Amino acid sequence: KTEKRSFQWLTPCCQQRNFRPQGIMHLSLTANIQLFLLIVLLQCCSSVEALQKKEPKTGIVFPDPYQSKRLQKTGVRTKGPIKVYAVGQYDDTTFLLHMTYGVGAEKMTNALKDALAPRLNDGADSGALEQFEQLMLKGLPKGAPKGTQMAFGTGSGKLSLQVNGKQVGTIGSRPLAKAFAGIYTDRKAVCALKAPAIEGGDDECTSSGGIKNAILSKLGSSKVIGAGVGALVGFGVGSLVVKDD
């Protein structure tokens, strides 16, 4: 017979009635291992969900989520051999531009204006382009050097601009907001947007290969190790506290 161990924290009446805690402490070793693996798997999946994602051609990492919005697609705007900026499309058609090549404020403004003009119907919201120009120049007093981030919100019939996390202003124009979104989403988009790649993975985040690599890379993280150690200690204590005859 194996030694029976009593619980010092139990009340005397419980001990007299041969009270034994039920549940996880009576699980077999196999069941304990299965539960441990389940906890580790759940931890890995949550880690994959929280991973930052990147635009593969530039290596620019985009936060996901960004201001509570989830990343949908990424792309890169090029001019000849030059990769000017990476762009991430988020929920509610928010676009985050990350400069990979420094340009002046006027040059950046004119490039976006040139893309907006053919997407605005003649006479639709007269003066919208001038307002956009003023907004851009206000937000880029020192130009758009490499590393600058510009977030354009196009939801609710408005076009808003944030530069490096600071709010610059908003233009209440539905045609302008729609035209800006069209720069990256219509049939004549300036660059193709695709599903982002998981940071540390070789494939797109939607593929099984990318998820597999991400899980393997996360198995060595402190969070997963902590979960594993905690689970093993809990299961070990549970199996030693009470044993049957």
Side-chain angles (χ1 to χ4, degrees):
K1 296 182 179 180
T2 58
E3 181 182 359
K4 298 180 179 179
R5 303 184 183 184
S6 62
F7 292 85
Q8 300 298 325
W9 50 272
L10 293 176
T11 61
C13 65
C14 289
Q15 293 182 16
Q16 291 173 2
R17 295 179 182 179
N18 296 322
F19 174 81
R20 289 188 177 186
Q22 303 296 317
I24 194 169
M25 289 180 287
H26 277 293
L27 292 174
S28 67
L29 177 60
T30 300
N32 284 340
I33 293 175
Q34 290 174 340
L35 281 175
F36 162 67
L37 292 176
L38 177 60
I39 290 174
V40 172
L41 179 60
L42 291 174
Q43 180 64 43
C44 288
C45 290
S46 65
S47 298
V48 170
E49 181 68 17
L51 281 176
Q52 290 184 315
K53 299 168 186 176
K54 67 180 180 180
E55 193 291 309
K57 293 182 179 179
T58 61
I60 295 297
V61 175
F62 285 89
D64 186 17
Y66 172 74
Q67 297 181 352
S68 75
K69 299 177 178 64
R70 299 308 304 266
L71 183 64
Q72 302 297 316
K73 299 178 180 180
T74 62
V76 56
R77 179 69 167 112
T78 61
K79 275 289 187 179
I82 300 175
K83 298 171 184 176
V84 183
Y85 61 83
V87 57
Q89 179 183 347
Y90 289 82
D91 293 339
D92 197 26
T93 54
T94 292
F95 298 90
L96 182 61
L97 277 57
H98 188 118
M99 302 300 297
T100 54
Y101 183 85
V103 298
E106 291 186 2
K107 189 172 183 178
M108 186 66 191
T109 300
N110 290 333
L112 290 176
K113 279 183 61 180
D114 290 343
L116 281 170
R119 291 174 170 84
L120 282 171
N121 295 328
D122 293 337
D125 203 349
S126 177
L129 281 178
E130 287 73 15
Q131 294 180 59
F132 177 78
E133 180 179 8
Q134 294 173 9
L135 185 67
M136 287 289 294
L137 295 176
K138 177 184 176 181
L140 301 173
K142 297 182 180 180
K146 182 178 179 179
T148 300
Q149 290 187 349
M150 292 171 281
F152 294 88
T154 65
S156 303
K158 300 177 182 179
L159 178 65
S160 62
L161 171 62
Q162 290 184 1
V163 177
N164 295 330
K166 295 182 179 180
Q167 183 69 26
V168 178
T170 301
I171 301 173
S173 170
R174 188 175 298 277
L176 181 65
K178 182 179 179 181
F180 189 93
I183 294 175
Y184 305 102
T185 60
D186 64 20
R187 291 181 297 176
K188 296 182 179 180
V190 299
C191 60
L193 301 184
K194 299 180 180 180
I198 293 178
E199 185 182 18
D202 295 329
D203 303 313
E204 291 184 353
C205 66
T206 53
S207 69
S208 59
I211 293 176
K212 178 191 69 176
N213 292 336
I215 289 177
L216 291 176
S217 68
K218 283 293 177 179
L219 280 174
S221 69
S222 59
K223 285 186 178 181
V224 175
I225 292 175
V229 171
L232 283 175
V233 170
F235 296 153
V237 170
S239 63
L240 289 174
V241 170
V242 176
K243 293 186 178 180
D244 294 327
D245 293 340

